[in-house]
Amino acid sequence: MLLETLSVFPQVFAPYLDESIMGRAQRAGIFRFAAYDLRDWTHDRHRTVDDAPFGGGQGMLMKPEPIFEAVEDIAAQGEERPHVVFFSPCGRRFDQACAERLAERERVLFVCGRYEGMDERAYELADEVLSLGDYVLTGGELAALVVIDSVVRLLPGALGDDMSAKDESFSSGLLEYAQYTRPADFRGMRVPDVLLSGDHAAVDRWRRESALERTVRWRPDLLDSADLTEAERDRAREIACEIESVRADDTKDEDLTGGASDGES
Ligand code: SAH
């Protein structure tokens, strides 16, 4: 897979992508990476990539000409035209399904904004526009690194053990189950006995229940689209009630303590 970035800070990518799993995957030929400098497609002495917005307002916008020239030039190189991804807080929210979709491609070019963003016409070049989430970064470079990292670890061989990306959070629509390593007893916090039992079927059942429990507790919004049996949906409702009643008890306790201290003061 060929992954490319276009930005005004092309040097920020290598320090991350040359290390650890990303570095190993590059050396193993699992993906190739190239970072292009947008300023190489400017024609003035100052290598200008930005200009003031029409209609007034704060900050500077990225000019359309260098972006068009760069994307067209880069796309014309090589046999395969790249899938072109732009970044913007106004884009579609990036998620694991999107990472899986991108991992199927042969070539992806990520175009990173800076300043107040881009002249709207630049988005004509985008096959898709992605956002990392509902917050504003100073530039698209971090967004590109996040997306590249999540895509590369899905490529066959990248993690060493092909199974390890399989039952992670989001892969089945649920969060990942709780995991433990040695020691079995740490400061009185014991690892659940079933995980030490060697009974694989029981371990699988416990893990599914744990994934369900964690999803109900932390990300109930995922449950609607998760792949669950009817029995699991019933169990999810039960867990939600259990969590709710513990919360209600906690609030009652707080009210009582609050009342008592009020009385004393
Ligand atoms: N004025 C814009 C924000 C520009 S931030 C607005 O209010 O929508 C500058 C650049 O950082 C953007 O062009 C984009 O490439 C990147 N960026 C900022 N926040 C991002 C996010 N949540 N997801 C992806 N990219 C983001």
Side-chain angles (χ1 to χ4, degrees), residues 142-203:
L142 275 177
L145 279 171
V146 167
V147 172
I148 290 171
D149 184 294
S150 62
V151 167
V152 167
R153 65 199 299 291
L154 292 172
L155 300 178
L159 294 182
D161 168 7
D162 269 353
M163 294 303 287
S164 32
K166 274 216 181 99
D167 37 67
E168 284 184 316
S169 295
F170 313 112
S171 53
S172 70
L174 297 179
L175 299 179
E176 191 182 52
Y177 45 80
Q179 301 209 77
Y180 300 88
T181 182
R182 275 182 283 270
D185 188 335
F186 174 65
R187 297 191 177 182
M189 294 178 276
R190 281 194 50 76
V191 171
D193 286 334
V194 58
L195 299 181
L196 313 177
S197 70
D199 178 343
H200 295 301
V203 169

Side-chain angles (χ1 to χ4, degrees), residues 22 70 95 108 207 223-224 253:
M22 298 295 123
D95 59 15
V108 186
R207 286 184 166 166
L223 290 168
D224 284 344
D253 287 350

Side-chain angles (χ1 to χ4, degrees), residues 17-235:
L17 294 177
D18 288 349
E19 290 293 330
S20 180
I21 288 174
M22 298 295 123
R24 218 172 44 223
Q26 280 193 79
R27 290 190 292 278
I30 291 167
F31 81 106
R32 286 181 297 132
F33 175 72
Y36 297 98
D37 186 345
L38 182 65
R39 292 189 199 279
D40 290 345
W41 282 272
T42 55
H43 304 288
D44 63 314
R45 202 156 56 88
H46 301 291
R47 301 181 17 110
T48 311
V49 293
D50 58 340
D51 206 338
F54 280 124
Q58 280 191 326
M60 299 292 268
L61 279 181
M62 294 179 84
K63 293 153 61 65
E65 306 97 307
I67 301 174
F68 266 84
E69 280 187 39
V71 171
E72 285 165 358
D73 263 8
I74 295 164
Q77 294 167 20
E79 281 162 24
E80 180 101 8
R81 200 196 158 276
H83 180 71
V84 180
V85 175
F86 276 54
F87 290 110
S88 163
C90 310
R92 205 168 67 85
R93 182 93 63 94
F94 180 68
D95 59 15
Q96 188 67 15
C98 185
E100 281 164 17
R101 221 167 17 79
L102 289 175
E104 302 284 315
R105 304 240 168 220
E106 286 296 314
R107 184 179 177 196
V108 186
L109 170 63
F110 298 100
V111 182
C112 308
R114 274 269 155 181
Y115 319 115
E116 283 306 313
M118 290 179 181
D119 183 292
E120 193 64 23
R121 291 166 291 186
Y123 294 103
E124 288 293 316
L125 295 161
D127 292 314
E128 63 181 312
V129 183
L130 293 179
S131 165
L132 281 201
D134 295 343
Y135 44 81
V136 181
L137 301 164
T138 53
E141 292 83 0
L142 275 177
L145 279 171
V146 167
V147 172
I148 290 171
D149 184 294
S150 62
V151 167
V152 167
R153 65 199 299 291
L154 292 172
L155 300 178
L159 294 182
D161 168 7
D162 269 353
M163 294 303 287
S164 32
K166 274 216 181 99
D167 37 67
E168 284 184 316
S169 295
F170 313 112
S171 53
S172 70
L174 297 179
L175 299 179
E176 191 182 52
Y177 45 80
Q179 301 209 77
Y180 300 88
T181 182
R182 275 182 283 270
D185 188 335
F186 174 65
R187 297 191 177 182
M189 294 178 276
R190 281 194 50 76
V191 171
D193 286 334
V194 58
L195 299 181
L196 313 177
S197 70
D199 178 343
H200 295 301
V203 169
D204 284 348
R205 278 195 303 276
W206 184 89
R207 286 184 166 166
R208 186 73 183 167
E209 167 81 7
S210 167
L212 198 57
E213 203 267 335
R214 283 149 66 97
T215 310
V216 173
R217 185 179 296 278
W218 291 321
R219 291 295 305 278
D221 56 299
L222 295 176
L223 290 168
D224 284 344
S225 50
D227 189 11
L228 300 181
T229 63
E230 264 318 303
E232 285 172 332
R233 293 224 168 263
D234 289 346
R235 181 67 193 126

